[in-house]
Amino acid sequence: MGAFQPLLMKSLLPLSILATADGSGSHDVLLKLAGVDYLILGIYFAFVIAIGWVLRKYLKTSKDFFESGRSLPAWVCALGFIGANLGAQEVIGMAASGAKYGIMTSHFYWIGAIPAMVFVAVFMMPFYYGSKARSVPEYLKLRFDEKTRSFNALTFAFMTIMSSGISMYALALLLNSILGWNFHLCIILSGVIVLLYIFMGGLTSAIYNEVLQFFLIVLGFLPLVLLGMKDVGGWHGLVEKLDVLAQRTGFQAGTYTQSWAHAGSASSNPMGVEWFGLAMGLGFVLSFGYWCTDFLVMQRAMAAKDMGAARRTPLLAAVPKMFFPFLVIFPGLIAMALTVGGHGFQLPPKDGSYDYNMVVPLMLGHYLPSGMLGIGLTALMASFMSGMAGNVTAFNTVFTYDLYQGHIKKDGTDAHYLAVGRWTTVFGILASMGAAYFAAAFNNIMDVLQLVFAFVNAPLFATFLLGMFWRRTSGHGAFWGLISGTVAAAVHQGLTIPVGAAVGLTQGGWVTIVHTYPSIMAQNFWTAIFAWTICMLATIVISLATAPNKTDDQLRGLVYSLTEKIREHDTPWYLRPATLGVVVLAGAVVLNIIFW
Amino acid sequence: MQLDVRIPMGLLFLLLGSILVVYGLISDPVIYTQHSLGQNVNLVWGSIFVVFGAAMLLLSRRKKE
């Protein structure tokens, strides 16, 4: 099964993929840690908690807790933005798909992230940041109405807890299988650490730790890639060995090392997708839906100290993001090259192919001696925790502002909401632990739930696009458009199936089969395209059929045509979003051409 | 202005880097032929950590003046 579509939507992997071990804990310990490795891990945990401890005295208001007081410089927000997204499911999942699909996985970055990050910075941030909304759902409330906000807030809150729980579950499962650590202890320990630093330091604490985690992951994984590349004989050695693999799997030479050359038809690449589905489904609908509307990442940009910094956040984040394929996909390529090249490294077999999820842990054990192994493992744990913390901070904000203040207690004092935020964090962590155990016990139900939320997410970008750029869009239009898009996603999935898959809730075809896709990824991309299109059309039609529910005055600052253009006379030309955006896009184009 | 993130970052990398350097000097070289193609990655990468950590601390100090 190659479904990692929710990866982009919510940075999630289907559990059936994640479950490399069955959780029962077969205790063949893969990595042996020395005292120095434990020392490094211990120091890291101490630092993480200490940051929360130091930051607690700067935390006075709910704005500090939920929005970092809107005080952070752009580069810190940018690294938090990228760090929150760089969860371990991404690190492990991207290496796994690098091994499985080759360099085509880079589409998740070069067309699946960069263009959307530029778009949100240049065109959408002025409304998110400028509207003074404290969350993405709150923007929907200001722009449309309560029901649209509540729908988004509820689904988002549920989804964050689920993601955070799955992150915990995956961490515990992994540590149990590679180190033999106790599954329950891992869940409790990771939960308690994340709880401590968020409870004390709020969003700032989460962002600071994400910055730390970012550098740890980069500096911890880079030696792995450098050593691996040297081992396989550089880029040419890598291409040579992966061509052998291509031959074995029945593809043309270069299939695993060229990103576009084999995307002409779905049958000529292991991903089973063609260029149009790739560009529209991944590059447009899924990517823009995630990077432009997901509060988890947007919260980091909204914590910036001013509009300029908020707009520069996704742009600065796009620079490292562009180079991440070298860090997270290359280990997968190297692992496959070593496996076919007979270098004394073998990915373990699984279901007639390989256990791709083991790429990262095995590569760590293969190339890193004690000392650096501790760093690599710390980086891995850091990425799990940053994914979890990102979800929990987004959850406590949406819960407190959009659900609690929106529906339960509208006129509390600031201290009251601060307290609610803190206790929501405790609740969020406990619920995540619950979700982790739920995932362990009911793998399949969790897969279905993830799919349901993927349906909710798919059409979202159409709603925001219309809301921000077409002032006639009405509250009813937005709400019912979203519902139609979600239903369309479900119906499309129910009517189609990837080739060779069994009919069922997670794979599709549960209504009847009218079309068969060459791969589950192609099915996912087209589900997203349908959902988006239906949402767009339904929102337009319903908006035209209903009366506008906001006056132009109420929409000032929320809609493009009614908002004053941002003056940038004080900003030097090289720091302006448009300039940075062009530079970043040019970089992505160059990378696409190099690896064409 | 609150805590500059470069301070904890600088301290962490300085500390971890020093540990790696020391470990690189005292550890049995055989672990490097077993794992890292004969290169003492602890010593090399530890030094990079130290330089990175020190640079972060310097940057955070310069900003304050």
Side-chain angles (χ1 to χ4, degrees), chain A residues 214-232:
Chain A
F214 169 86
F215 284 109
L216 261 173
I217 292 166
V218 171
L219 291 173
F221 277 63
L222 202 55
L224 197 76
V225 176
L226 295 176
L227 287 168
M229 284 307 277
K230 193 176 167 201
D231 205 11
V232 297

Side-chain angles (χ1 to χ4, degrees), chain A residues 36 39-40 43 47 51 58 71-72 75-76 204 208 211-212 215-216 219 222-223 226-227 230-231 365-372 375, chain B residues 1-13 15-16 19-20 23 31-32 34-37 39 41-42 45-46 48-49 52 56:
Chain A
V36 64
L39 178 67
I40 289 169
I43 289 176
F47 256 81
I51 287 180
Y58 298 99
S71 65
L72 301 180
W75 73 272
V76 173
T204 313
Y208 277 20
V211 174
L212 218 67
F215 284 109
L216 261 173
L219 291 173
L222 202 55
L226 295 176
L227 287 168
K230 193 176 167 201
D231 205 11
H366 186 69
Y367 283 121
L368 301 183
S370 312
M372 273 312 291
I375 299 285
Chain B
M1 182 56 201
Q2 46 189 10
L3 172 75
D4 186 335
V5 66
R6 283 170 293 201
I7 295 171
M9 209 155 71
L11 290 173
L12 178 68
F13 280 96
L15 188 58
L16 293 183
I19 292 172
L20 286 178
Y23 192 72
I31 63 171
Y32 303 109
Q34 275 171 357
H35 290 277
S36 45
L37 316 175
Q39 307 210 9
V41 280
N42 286 334
W45 218 255
I48 292 175
F49 270 39
F52 178 74
M56 282 293 140

Side-chain angles (χ1 to χ4, degrees), chain A residues 479-512:
Chain A
F479 180 76
W480 293 108
L482 262 183
I483 302 286
S484 314
T486 304
V487 171
V491 168
H492 176 267
Q493 205 252 359
L495 291 173
T496 60
I497 196 161
V499 68
V503 172
L505 280 177
T506 47
Q507 308 253 33
W510 40 269
V511 180
T512 176

Side-chain angles (χ1 to χ4, degrees), chain A residues 339-385:
Chain A
T339 300
V340 295
H343 274 245
F345 175 94
Q346 278 286 326
L347 272 180
K350 189 187 182 189
D351 305 336
S353 128
Y354 296 101
D355 189 352
Y356 297 109
N357 284 311
M358 292 311 282
V359 167
V360 168
L362 286 178
M363 291 283 279
L364 285 176
H366 186 69
Y367 283 121
L368 301 183
S370 312
M372 273 312 291
L373 182 60
I375 299 285
L377 204 67
T378 304
L380 199 60
M381 292 190 128
S383 68
F384 271 104
M385 296 204 309

Side-chain angles (χ1 to χ4, degrees), chain A residues 5-6 9-10 12 151 155-156 158-159 162 444-459 482-483 485-491 493 505-507 510 524 527 531:
Chain A
Q5 130 262 15
M9 292 179 169
K10 284 307 303 174
L12 291 181
F151 178 67
T155 49
F156 183 81
F158 202 87
M159 207 150 38
M162 219 168 68
N444 295 330
I445 299 181
M446 212 60 166
D447 269 352
V448 173
L449 278 178
Q450 287 198 63
L451 201 65
V452 169
F453 284 109
F455 295 158
V456 175
N457 262 349
L482 262 183
I483 302 286
T486 304
V487 171
V491 168
Q493 205 252 359
L505 280 177
T506 47
Q507 308 253 33
W510 40 269
N524 291 332
T527 297

Side-chain angles (χ1 to χ4, degrees), chain A residues 63-254:
Chain A
K63 190 176 178 179
D64 294 336
F65 189 77
F66 296 113
E67 303 177 272
S68 292
R70 290 206 166 189
S71 65
L72 301 180
W75 73 272
V76 173
C77 293
L79 294 178
F81 190 94
I82 210 71
N85 175 256
L86 193 61
Q89 285 106 317
E90 169 141 340
V91 174
I92 292 184
M94 285 298 167
S97 56
K100 193 172 179 187
Y101 305 120
I103 197 79
M104 274 184 84
T105 307
S106 65
H107 289 314
F108 280 85
Y109 294 79
W110 298 333
I111 66 161
I114 306 296
M117 290 166 87
V118 172
F119 186 85
V120 73
V122 175
F123 296 106
M124 293 173 76
M125 200 54 78
F127 310 112
Y128 281 136
Y129 193 88
S131 69
K132 297 278 187 288
R134 296 163 300 179
S135 69
V136 166
E138 194 167 54
Y139 171 82
L140 290 176
K141 152 98 177 158
L142 297 172
R143 173 62 186 86
F144 298 118
D145 53 19
E146 186 56 58
K147 62 178 180 299
T148 311
R149 183 254 286 261
S150 297
F151 178 67
N152 184 249
L154 273 173
T155 49
F156 183 81
F158 202 87
M159 207 150 38
T160 47
I161 291 300
M162 219 168 68
S163 314
S164 159
I166 288 170
S167 201
M168 256 184 199
Y169 164 67
L171 173 73
L173 204 57
L174 188 79
L175 294 181
N176 177 262
S177 73
I178 63 176
L179 296 169
W181 290 4
N182 182 292
F183 182 85
H184 310 287
L185 189 73
C186 294
I187 299 242
I188 293 167
L189 198 69
S190 57
V192 167
I193 291 174
V194 172
L195 172 64
L196 278 176
Y197 73 74
I198 298 179
F199 191 88
M200 293 189 288
L203 181 64
T204 313
S205 190
I207 292 180
Y208 277 20
N209 276 307
E210 280 151 10
V211 174
L212 218 67
Q213 285 151 359
F214 169 86
F215 284 109
L216 261 173
I217 292 166
V218 171
L219 291 173
F221 277 63
L222 202 55
L224 197 76
V225 176
L226 295 176
L227 287 168
M229 284 307 277
K230 193 176 167 201
D231 205 11
V232 297
W235 175 247
H236 289 287
L238 189 70
V239 172
E240 219 168 81
K241 293 184 178 69
L242 290 177
D243 280 350
V244 175
L245 176 70
Q247 210 174 24
R248 268 191 218 168
T249 47
F251 293 109
Q252 278 180 19

